[in-house]
Amino acid sequence: MRNTGTIYSSAERTPTILPEMAELLPPLTGEQLAALEADILKNGCYSPVIVNEDMVVIDGHNRQRLCEQHGLPYQMAVFSFEDMLEAKQWALDTQKGRRNLDKWELGKIALRLKPDIEARARENMSAGGGDQKSENAKSGLTTLSDPISPVSTRKELAEAVGIGEVTMGKVMQIDEHAPPAVKEALDSGDLSIHQGYNITQQVRELPEEQRDEAAAQAVELAKAKKEIQAFDAESDRRHKIAGLFCKAFERAVLLEPTEENVRIWTQCTRMTPEEIEDSVKEARELAEVFSSIAGILEKMLPVEADSTEGRYEHGQS
């Protein structure tokens, strides 16, 4: 891949949209698309749309579509790619830094690259005489000293999107054999690839007419377990927070901030002037923390309690 340095405006050239490129990555969420649209309407399309030398859009489909929709100008930077596979991999690498794509989404993208990867492998074998159709093979120039390395499609797919080969293998099995309920749960994030693969393997042993229902039941069970785990995790988090507050108050009330005690503290720990300055800052920050806690606790007191306390105080005055 290289940047040719050529730039066209949308008034000069019209780009070509290929579905295989436009649908390579999952679509933006409604919120993401709305934010992009608002930015373009406010600031214009300041990032160029990337096209190849045939004017096919490689990156920037959403920007290009929004600009066309609103009649806004945009620029196109021409990049040169070896083939469409290199273009797709470049677009993926570029977008991975902008989007939070999970392993299932990356696996599905890899499957879209499969025809290109297999085509390149066939071309490489042909060029090396592996299929006995290349000029070298026909002329007898290939020898045992020119071995053809076997291509693992699974490995190539995994490396193309940056996931593990074992994970890629599970994605391929799910894509080929999983009932719809499993794929839908993976798309919604209710299942992990490992869970989806296990359910797929389990239902494959069943008669075909029973697989869809069994898979749906297994998915619901996995979702229920996930909810229970999330509840337990939240409960643990709440208990940890409560424990921290209890310990903070328990330790704080043990302090007697007299001048003598503070001097003993600084002398026994051999504080330097710089460390004393830091401790002053930390002490004031802690004071603000406890003051904030007191303010929140006061808001939590029942109104009746406040009124009663107020009447009591007035009665004593």
Side-chain angles (χ1 to χ4, degrees):
M1 182 277 297
R2 65 181 179 85
N3 185 346
T4 67
T6 302
I7 295 179
Y8 295 112
S9 71
S10 54
E12 296 175 300
R13 301 288 296 273
T14 300
T16 299
I17 307 297
L18 290 184
E20 63 182 284
M21 287 301 309
E23 299 168 7
L24 177 65
L25 297 164
L28 297 178
T29 64
E31 184 179 351
Q32 290 171 330
L33 191 60
L36 177 61
E37 184 175 25
D39 182 52
I40 288 176
L41 289 174
K42 180 180 179 181
N43 304 306
C45 188
Y46 46 82
S47 295
V49 173
I50 306 301
V51 297
N52 67 6
E53 292 173 304
D54 296 323
M55 294 303 296
V56 173
V57 175
I58 304 300
D59 181 60
H61 292 86
N62 292 299
R63 297 196 302 278
Q64 188 270 342
R65 180 169 59 82
L66 288 170
C67 286
E68 293 287 352
Q69 179 181 326
H70 293 285
L72 299 173
Y74 57 93
Q75 291 188 320
M76 293 168 283
V78 181
F79 280 41
S80 177
F81 298 94
E82 179 183 347
D83 52 25
M84 288 305 293
L85 176 57
E86 184 183 41
K88 290 174 182 178
Q89 288 181 312
W90 180 85
L92 172 60
D93 290 341
T94 301
Q95 288 294 332
K96 277 171 66 177
R98 303 173 187 168
R99 302 199 199 181
N100 185 25
L101 302 175
D102 62 29
K103 290 182 179 180
W104 170 245
E105 290 171 323
L106 291 171
K108 290 198 298 180
I109 293 171
L111 292 175
R112 298 187 190 114
L113 299 178
K114 187 177 179 183
D116 299 282
I117 288 177
E118 290 177 337
R120 178 182 285 183
R122 287 193 295 270
E123 290 176 5
N124 291 341
M125 288 192 68
S126 178
D131 61 357
Q132 300 302 310
K133 294 180 182 179
S134 69
E135 291 302 317
N136 283 350
K138 291 176 182 178
S139 64
L141 294 178
T142 56
T143 68
L144 293 177
S145 62
D146 303 320
I148 304 296
S149 300
V151 176
S152 167
T153 301
R154 186 177 72 177
K155 182 179 179 181
E156 293 283 335
L157 291 174
E159 290 179 349
V161 297
I163 63 177
E165 187 177 347
V166 172
T167 299
M168 188 68 238
K170 291 180 179 179
V171 170
M172 294 170 74
Q173 288 292 314
I174 291 169
D175 179 68
E176 186 173 355
H177 301 293
V182 173
K183 294 180 181 179
E184 290 170 6
L186 280 160
D187 287 339
S188 63
D190 290 323
L191 288 183
S192 67
I193 292 175
H194 181 67
Q195 289 173 316
Y197 172 77
N198 285 342
I199 293 174
T200 301
Q201 294 300 99
Q202 291 167 10
V203 300
R204 282 184 68 184
E205 304 299 324
L206 299 174
E208 188 173 352
E209 64 274 11
Q210 298 178 16
R211 291 175 190 169
D212 286 354
E213 183 178 355
Q217 292 176 352
V219 167
E220 290 303 315
L221 178 60
K223 288 167 65 175
K225 289 181 179 178
K226 183 178 180 180
E227 290 176 0
I228 292 172
Q229 291 171 349
F231 177 82
D232 289 343
E234 174 62 13
S235 179
D236 289 343
R237 186 186 73 86
R238 291 170 63 87
H239 280 86
K240 286 179 181 178
I241 291 174
L244 286 173
F245 272 73
C246 289
K247 289 178 181 178
F249 271 85
E250 287 171 1
R251 293 174 182 176
V253 296
L254 294 176
L255 298 177
E256 293 183 26
T258 63
E259 183 174 345
E260 179 186 3
N261 286 345
V262 172
R263 288 188 180 278
I264 290 172
W265 172 41
T266 58
Q267 290 169 359
C268 289
T269 56
R270 298 181 181 179
M271 282 192 190
T272 63
E274 292 79 10
E275 289 173 333
I276 291 176
E277 288 182 2
D278 289 341
S279 296
V280 169
K281 182 180 178 181
E282 290 175 0
R284 297 197 186 283
E285 289 174 351
L286 286 172
E288 290 180 6
V289 169
F290 279 94
S291 178
S292 298
I293 293 172
I296 295 170
L297 288 173
E298 285 177 339
K299 292 178 182 178
M300 296 169 62
L301 287 171
V303 176
E304 293 78 4
D306 289 341
S307 301
T308 302
E309 184 179 347
R311 289 195 299 271
Y312 179 76
E313 288 175 350
H314 288 308
Q316 290 291 322
S317 60

